[in-house]
Amino acid sequence: MTNIPDQKIPTPPANGGFDLNNPTIISLLYLGSFITGITGLVGIVLAYVWRGDQEPWAASHFTFLIRTFWIGLIASIVSAILTIILIGIPMLIAVSVWFAVRSVVSIVKAQRREPMPNPETLWI
């Protein structure tokens, strides 16, 4: 196995515990918004503030998380409007699941310090 000196290999936290890096904090704030309703706004503000001063692996997470917030917000508004004709209820559930899954995937990859493979996709 050859070792490339210029390539930085991502390492998990030294103590084997939970690493509270910036993308993880934002994802946890997003998940907390299911309970509080407001922490998602704190998360998006932090994503924009922290976006410029991070390691390369984290940059893809910020793009992913910012897109997750805005697409989720727009889809939630459309779904809420469509509850008038009842199709919005399953749409709200689908948007919530989509939002939660993307947040959890970001946490998992951030714990490994891996970049998001395609941060600009609608899926994972």
Side-chain angles (χ1 to χ4, degrees):
M1 186 165 136
T2 60
N3 193 0
I4 302 170
D6 294 346
Q7 185 177 4
K8 192 174 183 183
I9 299 171
T11 56
N15 62 3
F18 196 73
D19 183 17
L20 278 177
N21 52 50
N22 291 346
T24 299
I25 292 169
I26 294 167
S27 295
L28 290 172
L29 287 168
Y30 283 2
L31 291 172
S33 68
F34 284 110
I35 298 168
T36 65
I38 193 80
T39 59
L41 294 174
V42 175
I44 190 66
V45 169
L46 289 176
Y48 278 113
V49 170
W50 288 340
R51 178 169 59 172
D53 11 313
Q54 290 300 314
E55 299 175 32
W57 68 267
S60 64
H61 282 270
F62 292 116
T63 301
F64 185 79
L65 291 166
I66 288 168
R67 288 180 55 85
T68 299
F69 178 85
W70 290 115
I71 293 169
L73 179 65
I74 291 167
S76 295
I77 291 170
V78 169
S79 299
I81 292 169
L82 290 175
T83 57
I84 296 169
I85 57 173
L86 299 179
I87 190 143
I89 295 169
M91 285 177 64
L92 277 171
I93 294 168
V95 170
S96 298
V97 169
W98 175 85
F99 190 83
V101 167
R102 283 179 62 102
S103 297
V104 169
V105 166
S106 181
I107 290 172
V108 169
K109 292 213 177 268
Q111 291 301 297
R112 296 181 190 151
R113 296 183 177 266
E114 295 176 1
M116 295 305 295
N118 189 1
E120 297 191 8
T121 185
L122 285 176
W123 310 114
I124 298 170

